[in-house]
Amino acid sequence: MADWDARQYLKFEDERTRPSRDLLAQIPLTAPRHVVDIGCGPGNSTELLVQRWPDAKVTGIDTSADMLRQARERLPGVEFIEANVAHWKPPADADVLFANAIFQWVPDHLSQLKRLLTGLPQGGVLAVQMPDNLAEPSHVLMREVALDGDWRDVLSSVTRLRDILPSPRVYYDALQPLCSRFELWHTGYNHVLNDATEIVEWVKGTGLRPFLDPLEVPQRKEFLAQYTARVAASYLPQQDGKVLLHFPRLFLVAVR
């Protein structure tokens, strides 16, 4: 895929940051030494960590140069590193690993979570949130359009880029034996947006990217037109004309 677009992502900054706030509220540490924001994006989640623990060292890592540029502008006093979590080893003094909406993109992410958790010191925390929305119309329709048009051959592999998340039972059995405390839960957000085109703008910053990036400009416009029409037919207006984007997310907090 092309690099992430921080400006597109931040069009819905408040809504995208809510899961980070909810995840952060469940971390039971008062004075960690070193907090790492895995997949820090443009720094909106990192800023919450700095505010919560002003005396801790805070580090952000991400693979996107554009996201890191935005994060460094936002938080010039924080260290940001370009790194892929699949090949990254946490520093020995890190006692909070915070990961908001990143591991759904990481192949074999359950093995990666086990690796990171076992590397924490006693009492350290791995806190993770992942979108669990592949069965929602917003994402089902992406795959339908991808397989319906002239771009089918180009996009056939993209429809399998993300796997549906395992059930909570799978995470529990894999991670609970490594923990002194383990919590997991789902939250279903209902984001109030102005209309169906705003839903399209939302997913253009995340899940729609792999479908659009491989296409030439004319095909990209046609894909967006077909997708937008299907989204509008699936997300019907409320009485005031606005639409509700239902967005399920999985959370887990593992204390070593």
Side-chain angles (χ1 to χ4, degrees), residues 51-218:
Q51 292 169 352
R52 167 80 183 270
W53 296 298
D55 295 327
K57 178 180 179 181
V58 177
T59 303
I61 71 168
D62 206 287
T63 59
S64 166
D66 192 52
M67 290 290 196
L68 290 169
R69 176 195 58 77
Q70 180 71 34
R72 291 179 181 122
E73 290 179 4
R74 183 178 193 137
L75 298 167
V78 173
E79 178 186 35
F80 290 98
I81 300 169
E82 187 169 344
N84 186 327
V85 67
H87 312 294
W88 174 79
K89 183 178 179 181
D93 65 343
D95 34 27
V96 174
L97 302 180
F98 186 90
N100 183 67
I102 177 62
F103 276 102
Q104 73 277 10
W105 296 109
V106 177
D108 192 20
H109 70 260
L110 192 56
S111 294
Q112 293 290 344
L113 295 177
K114 291 171 69 174
R115 175 181 68 86
L116 295 172
L117 181 57
T118 55
L120 284 170
Q122 199 69 28
V125 176
L126 173 65
V128 176
Q129 180 275 128
M130 290 177 284
D132 195 8
N133 58 350
L134 289 187
E136 293 297 310
S138 57
H139 285 64
V140 171
L141 295 173
M142 292 178 198
R143 301 192 294 273
E144 287 184 1
V145 175
L147 296 176
D148 280 353
D150 295 338
W151 42 67
R152 178 184 302 175
D153 291 343
V154 176
L155 297 181
S156 60
S157 62
V158 175
T159 62
R160 303 185 297 273
L161 188 61
R162 270 180 62 190
D163 295 328
I164 292 175
L165 296 186
S167 74
R169 293 174 57 89
V170 172
Y171 290 101
Y172 185 88
D173 287 345
L175 301 176
Q176 187 278 332
L178 307 173
C179 303
S180 61
R181 172 181 168 187
F182 185 65
E183 304 284 347
L184 73 165
W185 68 97
H186 272 92
T187 297
Y189 297 85
N190 288 286
H191 297 295
V192 180
L193 303 180
N194 286 325
D195 51 31
T197 60
E198 280 209 343
I199 296 177
V200 177
E201 285 300 304
W202 177 301
V203 296
K204 279 170 68 176
T206 50
L208 198 57
R209 294 177 56 250
F211 294 89
L212 298 180
D213 287 349
L215 302 180
E216 299 296 332
V217 172

